[in-house]
């Protein structure tokens, strides 16, 4: 039987559009760098820096890669938002290049590759996670690379690509334990649609060995510490599972961009018509079903959707040209890009962020931290005898902000029972004086005595720290070492 047009196009490769894609990523890097100062550190970035200052093979909620990158970035580029976010900018640039290469593998010409780079760089998801450092930033790049290597494996049947897949998987496992979900979705889809012969090679075992070797130290750390990341993942599903399931489909569309819906649909259709690549069109819905069952966050499945978008750019261009619909799509794309920019980058004045926070609450989590620490410092100054006093916070964002900005206010190192901060405590039992209690606690009366609220945080915006109480307590009901297990929490 003869090949379909889609199969023929997928086998051919135009030269890489280095010039056009290079211009796109230069503009992308410049915009991200100029705006990297933005509103300020995100609460999670404080935590990554704190973890990087206490390097280990694992933490209760993540492997070590992102904290290590945070440590390197602050050493090389400075302990500032722009310095820390150099890593995020580079990951965003690399992702755009990888997706342009994916489009090339799918038969896109010069224009198709450049447009793939443009729509990737301007998608809401990429803008959000390229602006600030997070585990999702690194996952976005790793999953995109896995997509490229998988395409090459399926197209060529060359088992040596399993080595690249194994290496990328190992890096992904050092960052976040979501990669196995993608691999399961890909494996099931290839088993269903083919080409199954890619499994019949010893290169697969070699790739698996590479991945296992990379993550082995983390597995040892987890085993020695009671597998805390499993506990943490279960907490996400239990606490946020219903909301994640309810908003899964709408946020899939909103996070990438509504204007790209016809493009990734074209990608699904195009890949389904290409026998050796058909599994890629099935892997995305399989992954979505897995995430819905587990209560995973909607953005977890966006990298495969970006792969489908790269597959759909060339056929979408051809479709729009035939129907003379390009003008209307360009208007829709321009509006979508404007919305994505407002959602993903700090270009809207902080006091006008209300509508933006409905789609991206992370913008608000970058605002108000220096003022927050100033409020805590004002309470600290009310303590007459500070030698044995403690600052104790309800979450890692509060602790990280005090750790970063506190020294300028003569604040001591903070303590918290949240996530890995619990492993970095407790305070010495000799510190039995007053306690500055920051945040809301479920049962503070059991641990602290003589507490009175003396301040309330006003960030000027509806974020997680707006209205946070700051109390001053006379002491604790028992020694810190005895109280500490009850003060630990994961949410």
């Amino acid at each position: 039987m003869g090949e379909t047009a889609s199969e023929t196009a997928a086998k051919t490769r135009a030269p890489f559009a280095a010039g056009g894609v290079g211009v796109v990523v230069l503009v992308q890097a410049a915009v991200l760098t100029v705006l990297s100062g933005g509103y300020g550190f995100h609460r999670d970035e404080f935590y990554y820096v704190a973890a990087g200052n206490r390097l280990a093979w694992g933490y209760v909620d993540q492997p070590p890669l992102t904290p290590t990158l945070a440590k390197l970035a602050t050493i090389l580029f400075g302990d500032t938002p722009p310095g820390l976010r150099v890593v995020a900018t580079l990951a965003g640039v690399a992702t755009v290049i990888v997706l342009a290469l994916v489009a090339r593998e799918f038969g896109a010409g010069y224009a198709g590759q450049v447009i793939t780079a443009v729509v990737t760089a301007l998608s809401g998801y990429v803008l959000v996670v390229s602006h600030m450092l997070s585990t999702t930033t690194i996952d976005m790049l790793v999953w995109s690379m896995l997509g490229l290597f998988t395409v090459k494996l399926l197209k060529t049947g060359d088992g040596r690509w399993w080595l690249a897949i194994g290496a990328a998987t190992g890096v992904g496992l050092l960052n976040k334990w979501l990669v196995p979900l993608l691999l399961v979705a890909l494996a099931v889809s290839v088993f269903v649609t083919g080409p199954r012969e890619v499994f019949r090679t010893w290169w697969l075992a070699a790739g698996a060995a590479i991945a296992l070797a990379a993550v082995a130290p983390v597995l040892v750390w987890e085993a020695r510490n009671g597998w805390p990341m499993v506990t943490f993942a279960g907490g996400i599903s239990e606490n946020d599972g219903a909301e994640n399931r309810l908003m899964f489909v709408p946020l899939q569309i909103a996070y990438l961009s509504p204007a790209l819906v016809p493009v990734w649909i074209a990608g699904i259709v195009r890949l389904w018509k290409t026998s050796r690549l058909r599994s890629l069109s099935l892997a995305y819905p399989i992954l979505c079903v897995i995430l819905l069952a587990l209560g995973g966050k909607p953005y977890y499945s966006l990298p495969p959707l970006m792969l489908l978008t790269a597959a759909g750019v060339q056929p979408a261009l051809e479709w729009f040209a035939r129907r003379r619909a390009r003008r209307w799509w360009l208007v829709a794309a321009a509006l979508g890009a404007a919305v994505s920019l407002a959602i993903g980058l700090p270009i809207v004045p902080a006091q006008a962020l209300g509508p933006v926070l409905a789609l991206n609450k992370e913008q608000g989590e970058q605002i108000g931290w220096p003022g927050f620490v100033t409020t805590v410092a004002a309470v600290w100054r009310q303590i007459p005898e500070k030698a044995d006093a403690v600052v104790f916070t309800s979450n890692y964002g509060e602790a990280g902000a005090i750790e970063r900005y506190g020294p300028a206010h003569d604040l001591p190192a903070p303590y918290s029972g949240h996530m890995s901060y619990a492993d970095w405590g407790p305070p010495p039992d000799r510190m039995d004086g007053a306690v500055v209690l920051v945040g809301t606690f479920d049962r503070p009366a059991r641990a602290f005595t003589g507490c009175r609220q003396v301040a309330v945080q006003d960030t000027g915006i509806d974020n997680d720290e707006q209205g946070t109480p700051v109390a001053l307590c006379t002491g604790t009901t028992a020694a810190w070492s005895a109280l500490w297990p009850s003060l630990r929490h994961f949410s």
Side-chain angles (χ1 to χ4, degrees):
M1 294 180 64
E3 291 181 331
T4 66
S6 295
E7 287 176 316
T8 302
K11 283 187 175 181
T12 60
R13 287 195 310 174
F16 179 56
V21 173
V23 170
V24 173
V25 297
L26 283 174
V27 173
Q28 177 195 21
V31 170
L32 290 173
T33 300
V34 168
L35 297 176
S36 60
Y39 306 128
F41 284 108
H42 186 277
R43 67 165 58 246
D44 290 354
E45 291 177 317
F46 288 127
Y47 184 43
Y48 299 134
V49 171
N53 288 331
R54 303 166 174 89
L55 286 177
W57 276 112
Y59 305 90
V60 298
D61 52 344
Q62 62 189 311
L65 181 56
T66 297
T68 301
L69 292 173
K71 178 67 173 180
L72 290 173
T74 53
I75 291 174
L76 295 175
F77 307 111
D79 185 16
T80 63
L84 178 66
R85 291 168 177 171
V86 169
V87 176
T89 297
L90 293 176
V93 166
T95 299
V96 169
I97 294 172
V98 170
L99 267 296
L101 289 169
V102 169
R104 176 176 178 247
E105 292 294 328
F106 290 143
Y110 190 96
Q113 294 174 44
V114 174
I115 290 176
T116 298
V118 171
V119 300
T120 301
L122 288 176
S123 68
Y125 171 71
V126 174
L127 285 167
V128 169
V129 303
S130 300
H131 167 63
M132 63 184 193
L133 180 62
S134 71
T135 53
T136 304
T137 308
I138 308 305
D139 254 13
M140 174 183 69
L141 174 57
V142 170
W143 284 37
S144 298
M145 293 178 66
L146 276 169
L148 175 62
F149 299 151
T150 301
V151 170
K152 287 182 174 291
L153 171 68
L154 297 176
K155 282 181 63 177
T156 65
D158 187 343
R160 288 174 294 183
W161 283 107
W162 281 116
L163 300 180
I165 291 172
T169 298
V171 173
L173 290 170
L174 288 171
N175 178 65
K176 203 171 185 177
W177 280 9
L178 288 176
V179 176
L181 302 183
L182 174 63
L183 297 178
V184 168
L186 287 168
V188 171
S189 62
V190 172
F191 181 80
V192 171
T193 66
R196 298 184 189 91
E197 64 268 18
V198 298
F199 295 132
R200 295 192 291 268
T201 172
W202 71 272
W203 291 108
L204 171 56
I210 291 173
L212 183 60
V215 77
V218 179
L219 294 175
V220 171
W221 186 93
E222 283 287 315
R224 288 177 174 174
N225 289 274
W227 302 97
M229 279 197 286
V230 176
T231 303
F232 170 70
I236 291 179
S237 178
E238 180 180 347
N239 295 330
D240 302 329
E243 181 181 353
N244 291 340
R245 293 182 182 98
L246 181 64
M247 297 302 296
F248 195 90
V249 173
L251 290 180
Q252 291 287 292
I253 296 172
Y255 281 161
L256 202 57
S257 176
L260 294 179
V261 171
V263 180
W264 56 258
I265 289 177
I268 292 175
V269 173
R270 195 273 184 82
L271 292 175
W272 188 256
K273 293 179 179 179
T274 309
S275 60
R276 291 195 67 87
L277 299 176
R278 185 171 296 150
S279 58
L280 297 175
S281 64
L282 186 61
Y284 169 68
I286 290 175
L287 178 62
C288 290
V289 169
I290 294 172
L291 290 173
L292 283 167
L294 296 176
K297 296 184 182 295
Y299 62 80
Y300 288 171
S301 59
L302 284 179
L305 195 56
M306 292 161 55
L307 192 80
L308 296 176
T309 302
V313 166
Q314 192 66 37
L317 286 176
E318 296 167 1
W319 188 91
F320 290 132
R322 288 195 303 270
R323 287 160 178 76
R324 298 181 179 178
R326 184 180 300 176
R327 179 184 303 174
W328 299 109
W329 184 80
L330 287 175
V331 171
L335 290 173
V339 172
S340 294
L341 287 166
I343 291 172
L345 298 180
I347 59 177
V348 177
Q351 60 271 22
L353 268 178
V356 171
L357 298 180
L359 287 174
N360 179 23
K361 68 181 291 289
E362 308 308 331
Q363 292 278 56
E365 299 311 307
Q366 303 170 55
I367 294 172
W369 291 111
F372 173 90
V373 177
T374 298
T375 300
V376 174
V379 177
W380 174 259
R381 286 194 292 271
Q382 297 181 32
I383 302 173
E385 298 294 333
K386 298 181 176 63
D388 298 326
V390 170
V391 176
F392 186 77
T393 76
S394 64
N395 64 60
Y396 63 60
E398 297 161 351
I402 295 170
E403 196 169 331
R404 171 62 178 77
Y405 296 117
H409 297 275
D410 295 323
L411 283 171
Y415 294 88
S416 179
H418 191 212
M419 298 301 183
S420 283
Y421 264 99
D423 295 324
W424 305 331
D429 285 343
R430 61 174 175 76
M431 299 182 72
D432 56 357
V435 179
V436 176
L437 199 62
V438 182
T440 303
F441 298 81
D442 291 337
R443 295 177 296 274
R446 296 186 181 182
F448 306 102
T449 59
C451 296
R452 58 185 178 87
Q453 183 176 311
V454 294
V456 176
Q457 176 64 26
D458 181 11
T459 63
I461 191 171
D462 185 19
N463 60 14
D464 284 352
E465 297 303 330
Q466 175 65 6
T468 295
V470 183
L472 187 57
C473 307
T474 56
T476 58
T477 58
W480 282 105
S481 58
L483 292 171
W484 204 244
S486 67
L487 294 175
R488 176 164 211 160
H489 61 105
F490 295 93
S491 61

